[in-house]
Amino acid sequence: PAGSSNTSFVIPSVVKEVEDSAFSFCGKLTSISIPDSVNKIGGYAFASCSRLASIDIPDSVLELGIWAFVNCTALATVSLPSNIETIPEDCFIRCTSLASINFPSSVTAIESAAFYKCSSLSEISLPSNLNSIGGLAFSSCSSLTSIDIPKSVSLIGYNAFSNCNNLESILIRSYNCKIKEGTNNTFPRTAEIRACSGSTAQAYAENYLMNFTSIGHNYQTTHSDTICTEGGEVVYTCDVCGETYSVTIGANEHHYVISENTATCTDDGEVVYTCDICGDTYSETVYATGHNYAVQSEVSPTCTEDGELVYTCDKCGDTYSETVYSTGHNYEETIISPTCTEQGYTTFICSVCGD
C-alpha cells in the first residue's frame, strides 16, 4: 500500500494488476515479490521506493506504466519480463544506482526519458528488434561510455543521449535511421560516431562537426540460382546497416572480383577471378619476373689483392658477389747508364702501385 512503512511485501497470487501508485513512497520497502498472475504494473506503482535495491518482474507482465520506478534511487538490478514490448516514458527516471540493463528481444520501443538521469548506468545491451529510442531516453546517463545501436532502429528521438558527458563511442548500424535534433545535441559532440558511409549517422556527425569513422559496408547478395546464365536482378544488402541496392545483369554476364597472389623474382604468382554472384572461378598464372641486379658496392682490386663486386636485386633484395682478381704488378724498366766513376744500374717500378 502507498506510503507504507513495511520493509517487504508479497503480492497475493490472485492479483492480476499492480495498480497505479500502489506502492509509491514506500520509503522503507527493500523487497517485493510479484507473482506470475500479474500482467500489468501501473504508473507510479513503485515511485520513490528509495530503498528497493532489486526487482524481479515475472514474464507474465506485458505492460509497464509510466513513472513506474521513478526515483527508486537504490535500485541496482532489474529483471525485465521476456515478453515486454515497450519501456514506457519516464519508467526508470532517476534510478541513480542502476548500473546495467539487459533488454529482452521482445522490446521494440524505449520511450522518452525512460532512463533519464540514471547516472550509474554504464552498460546497455539494446535488443536487435528495437525500432525506436525516444527523446531524452538515456539523457544524463553520465557513466555511459559506449553504445551499440542496432540496425533495426529507425528513429532516435531528440536529446536521446544528451549530457552523456563520458560517452566516447556511438555505433549506429542503421543506414537510414532518423536522428532528431533537439535543443541540445542528441549525442555529445565529443563522442565519435561510427557507421556505414553515406548513412544518416554520417550526415549527422558532419553537421555537428563530430568525429566520424566509417565501419564499411559488408554486402550480401540475393538472386536466382540461374542469374549468371539467364540474367536478372541481383540485390545487394549490407548486413551491418541494412542499406540495399540492386543491379540488373544480362545473360552469361559474370561479375568477377579479382584477388592476386603477386609473382616474385623466383616464384610464379596467380590472379584468381571469382564471380561474387554465382561463385564461378578461374585463375591466370603470372610468371616470375626474374631478378634485376645492380651493383651495390665495389672493392677495387690491387696489384696483389683481389677486389669484389656486390650485386643486389632492386625488387627483392637478393644479393650475390663476384671476385675481381688482382691485376699483378706492371713494372716499367728504367736504365741508369754508368759514368766514369759510378756503375750503372736498372730499376723496375710498378706503374700501378709504385712497388
Side-chain angles (χ1 to χ4, degrees):
S4 170
S5 60
N6 290 349
T7 59
S8 64
F9 197 89
V10 177
I11 299 175
S13 59
V14 294
V15 174
K16 293 185 177 180
E17 177 181 341
V18 179
E19 295 185 351
D20 293 352
S21 303
F23 293 90
S24 61
F25 296 98
C26 290
K28 295 184 179 181
L29 186 67
T30 59
S31 68
I32 183 79
S33 176
I34 304 174
D36 291 341
S37 59
V38 174
N39 54 45
K40 179 182 177 181
I41 295 176
Y44 295 88
F46 296 94
S48 297
C49 290
S50 56
R51 294 187 183 180
L52 187 64
S54 66
I55 189 164
D56 187 357
I57 305 173
D59 289 341
S60 58
V61 174
L62 302 177
E63 182 181 351
L64 298 176
I66 63 170
W67 300 84
F69 299 94
V70 62
N71 292 330
C72 290
T73 53
L75 190 62
T77 59
V78 176
S79 174
L80 293 172
S82 61
N83 296 312
I84 196 80
E85 294 183 359
T86 300
I87 309 300
E89 59 183 276
D90 306 312
C91 189
F92 293 95
I93 192 170
R94 288 189 293 274
C95 290
T96 54
S97 296
L98 190 62
S100 64
I101 188 79
N102 287 318
F103 296 94
S105 60
S106 57
V107 173
T108 59
I110 299 173
E111 294 187 343
S112 60
F115 295 91
Y116 178 64
K117 287 192 175 180
C118 290
S119 55
S120 296
L121 192 60
S122 59
E123 294 183 22
I124 302 173
S125 179
L126 296 176
S128 59
N129 294 317
L130 185 66
N131 293 327
S132 63
I133 299 173
L136 296 168
F138 295 96
S139 178
S140 299
C141 291
S142 54
S143 295
L144 196 61
T145 59
S146 65
I147 186 73
D148 185 338
I149 300 173
K151 64 182 178 182
S152 57
V153 174
S154 60
L155 174 65
I156 300 174
Y158 68 93
N159 300 335
F161 294 88
S162 63
N163 297 319
C164 292
N165 296 326
N166 290 308
L167 189 58
E168 298 175 353
S169 176
I170 306 158
L171 176 57
I172 303 176
R173 297 180 183 272
S174 174
Y175 188 75
N176 290 311
C177 178
K178 184 177 182 180
I179 304 174
K180 288 192 174 182
E181 302 173 15
T183 52
N184 296 315
N185 292 338
T186 298
F187 301 102
R189 291 193 182 185
T190 53
E192 176 189 58
I193 289 181
R194 299 167 57 225
C196 287
S197 297
S199 62
T200 53
Q202 181 180 7
Y204 179 92
E206 292 174 350
N207 186 47
Y208 283 97
L209 303 178
M210 296 176 64
N211 290 330
F212 175 79
T213 298
S214 174
I215 58 176
H217 293 291
N218 185 33
Y219 289 108
Q220 305 297 322
T221 58
T222 304
H223 52 78
S224 68
D225 292 339
T226 58
I227 184 69
C228 288
T229 54
E230 297 180 3
E233 185 178 65
V234 181
V235 178
Y236 292 81
T237 303
C238 176
D239 63 7
V240 177
C241 69
E243 193 267 345
T244 184
Y245 71 93
S246 62
V247 175
T248 300
I249 66 171
N252 300 311
E253 241 181 65
H254 292 289
H255 184 254
Y256 288 109
V257 175
I258 298 173
S259 61
E260 183 175 1
N261 180 18
T262 306
T264 67
C265 295
T266 56
D267 296 323
D268 293 340
E270 185 180 48
V271 178
V272 179
Y273 299 83
T274 303
C275 179
D276 66 359
I277 299 172
C278 72
D280 181 73
T281 185
Y282 71 94
S283 62
E284 294 178 349
T285 298
V286 180
Y287 294 104
T289 60
H291 294 294
N292 185 33
Y293 289 110
V295 175
Q296 182 185 39
S297 63
E298 180 178 2
V299 177
S300 298
T302 67
C303 296
T304 57
E305 295 181 352
D306 294 339
E308 185 181 52
L309 291 175
V310 178
Y311 296 86
T312 301
C313 177
D314 60 10
K315 295 177 183 178
C316 70
D318 183 71
T319 185
Y320 74 94
S321 62
E322 289 182 350
T323 299
V324 182
Y325 295 105
S326 60
T327 59
H329 293 294
N330 184 28
Y331 288 110
E332 293 182 349
E333 181 182 284
T334 302
I335 299 173
I336 306 298
S337 300
T339 65
C340 295
T341 58
E342 294 181 356
Q343 292 183 344
Y345 57 90
T346 301
T347 61
F348 298 87
I349 298 175
C350 179
S351 63
V352 177
C353 69
D355 179 73

